[in-house]
Amino acid sequence: MTQKKRKTFESAKESGALISENRCFFSKTNFQKYLGDAKTEYFAQEQHYHNNINEYYNQRLEEVNNLKNNQIFFSVYDASDNLSQRQNRGYIRSDDSIWKLWRELILPSISYLSILKLVPVNNKSAVPLFYFRILLDYQFRSFIHPKSIDKEENLEKEKTEKDIIKKRTHRIGSEKYRREVINYMPQCPFTKITDERLLIASHIKPYSICIKNHENEQALDYLNGLALSPTYDKLFDQGYITFTNSGELVCGTQLSSYTWEKLNINPNAKNKMRIFPEDREIYLDYHRNYVFQDDINDLI
């Protein structure tokens, strides 16, 4: 039986299986952000690994910091076993060194790869670029990592406190907080709804984080709340959208263009929304960096 040869960049090019030649790129700043988010998992592992991964963290960080350029371009090809033809679906690979580095950086199960197709606004027919980004599932980002909260507290006490927070059906002061949020911001900026029965006082900096950090005043501060209709509350609460300090809407890359269209949102418009952003900067900054699912620096 003839042993199949491993497809390479050259063989893929010859057989028409080349997907993109030097039009894909990774970002040094994205790698640095990913390692920052993943640091807690590297040193206080919640998952099982074959090796002690904390031994590799500093080495990998140094390798990333030593990258000469912020954008590192590479080529990708269809790496399916069949060398003779391009596949409709397949396994992509690159022979460039940056591809090996990103494969070494990522942590299994809690990481994912996002690929953005980029074309100039004024030339939609231009050959696109593809921005490959690695991200940590935001549920595992260091600010809510199980081992980054109250490290010095007794584990049983920590578990009890978490259970209390989860089981609370009525937050202390929640009615007063809701009333003050809606009085200050009486209309959902997306739907223009003013009916209080349909508005949610959505925390900018999550309530649970404020409580865990013993920041009770922030938990009940009306400036830490936006009045939103339920669907848009979900978008904001789950980190699919965020806002700049001037109230400009920033949409993430997790949802499809079809979904954005049905939500009546143009993710590229960067519209200023009526959220009364003044004096909310500390909360908006937290949301952009720790709740928003994308790296805000990639989008602004």
Side-chain angles (χ1 to χ4, degrees):
M1 178 179 285
T2 304
Q3 186 176 5
K4 289 184 179 180
K5 295 181 180 179
R6 176 184 181 275
K7 187 179 283 185
T8 63
F9 173 80
E10 292 302 327
S11 64
K13 194 171 184 179
E14 291 175 3
S15 63
L18 182 63
I19 296 174
S20 179
E21 184 170 8
N22 290 322
R23 303 292 296 179
C24 304
F25 68 94
F26 283 109
S27 163
K28 176 179 178 178
T29 54
N30 170 241
F31 282 2
Q32 291 170 326
K33 180 68 166 58
Y34 173 84
L35 285 173
D37 286 342
K39 186 173 183 179
T40 303
E41 177 65 12
Y42 265 94
F43 289 97
Q45 294 130 36
E46 286 293 308
Q47 298 193 110
H48 174 72
Y49 301 91
H50 293 298
N51 302 302
N52 186 3
I53 61 172
N54 65 29
E55 298 176 1
Y56 306 108
Y57 183 83
N58 290 329
Q59 172 190 336
R60 291 171 180 174
L61 181 60
E62 181 179 6
E63 193 169 354
V64 167
N65 288 338
N66 287 336
L67 291 171
K68 293 182 179 179
N69 301 311
N70 190 45
Q71 284 81 36
I72 305 96
F73 285 83
F74 61 97
S75 303
V76 294
Y77 57 89
D78 182 345
S80 304
D81 291 336
N82 192 334
L83 294 176
S84 63
Q85 62 184 7
R86 185 189 183 107
Q87 307 293 308
N88 291 328
R89 297 181 64 182
Y91 172 70
I92 65 169
R93 181 189 292 141
S94 174
D95 293 344
D96 295 282
S97 59
I98 194 65
W99 187 264
K100 179 176 181 293
L101 176 58
W102 91 267
R103 293 292 300 272
E104 291 175 346
L105 293 181
I106 58 171
L107 301 176
S109 300
I110 59 174
S111 304
Y112 60 96
L113 178 68
S114 169
I115 305 174
L116 294 181
K117 181 180 179 181
L118 308 176
V119 293
V121 174
N122 58 356
N123 185 10
K124 299 293 185 180
S125 62
V127 179
L129 296 176
F130 296 93
Y131 178 17
F132 282 57
R133 300 178 303 159
I134 53 173
L135 303 109
L136 201 67
D137 185 324
Y138 86 111
Q139 295 290 352
F140 268 84
R141 288 166 69 170
S142 59
F143 81 103
I144 55 170
H145 191 287
K147 291 190 178 179
S148 69
I149 301 172
D150 301 328
K151 290 181 180 180
E152 298 179 359
E153 290 189 7
N154 178 274
L155 290 178
E156 188 60 33
K157 179 182 177 183
E158 180 181 352
K159 181 179 183 300
T160 301
E161 290 178 350
K162 287 182 180 179
D163 289 342
I164 291 173
I165 291 172
K166 289 179 180 178
K167 292 178 181 178
R168 280 178 180 166
T169 58
H170 184 79
R171 296 171 176 173
I172 298 174
S174 62
E175 286 304 317
K176 180 175 181 290
Y177 164 79
R178 182 177 185 278
R179 185 170 61 254
E180 290 181 344
V181 168
I182 295 176
N183 284 343
Y184 187 71
M185 184 181 170
Q187 183 182 67
C188 171
F190 296 96
T191 63
K192 311 306 180 187
I193 287 174
T194 58
D195 190 326
E196 293 186 12
R197 296 170 297 178
L198 301 178
L199 292 177
I200 295 175
S202 182
H203 275 83
I204 303 172
K205 182 176 181 179
Y207 177 88
S208 60
I209 299 301
C210 295
I211 296 299
K212 288 183 187 299
N213 293 340
H214 306 292
E215 298 165 338
N216 294 358
E217 289 185 2
Q218 290 190 0
L220 299 175
D221 182 2
Y222 70 92
L223 291 171
N224 186 22
L226 301 179
L228 301 172
S229 303
T231 297
Y232 299 92
D233 163 72
K234 188 76 170 181
L235 285 170
F236 185 69
D237 184 64
Q238 296 296 312
Y240 296 113
I241 60 174
T242 193
F243 297 96
T244 67
N245 286 347
S246 63
E248 188 177 273
L249 175 66
V250 181
C251 298
T253 61
Q254 311 301 315
L255 303 180
S256 67
S257 57
Y258 175 83
T259 299
W260 289 120
E261 181 181 354
K262 294 304 179 184
L263 289 166
N264 198 30
I265 292 177
N266 178 353
N268 301 312
K270 301 293 189 292
N271 292 321
K272 283 193 175 182
M273 310 298 288
R274 199 159 185 260
I275 66 165
F276 306 95
E278 296 78 11
D279 300 322
R280 298 185 188 272
E281 290 84 358
I282 185 174
Y283 301 124
L284 291 171
D285 182 68
Y286 188 94
H287 190 275
R288 287 192 298 268
N289 287 287
Y290 298 111
V291 180
F292 188 50
Q293 293 201 39
D294 285 86
D295 184 342
I296 192 67
N297 296 311
D298 291 339
L299 302 176
I300 296 182

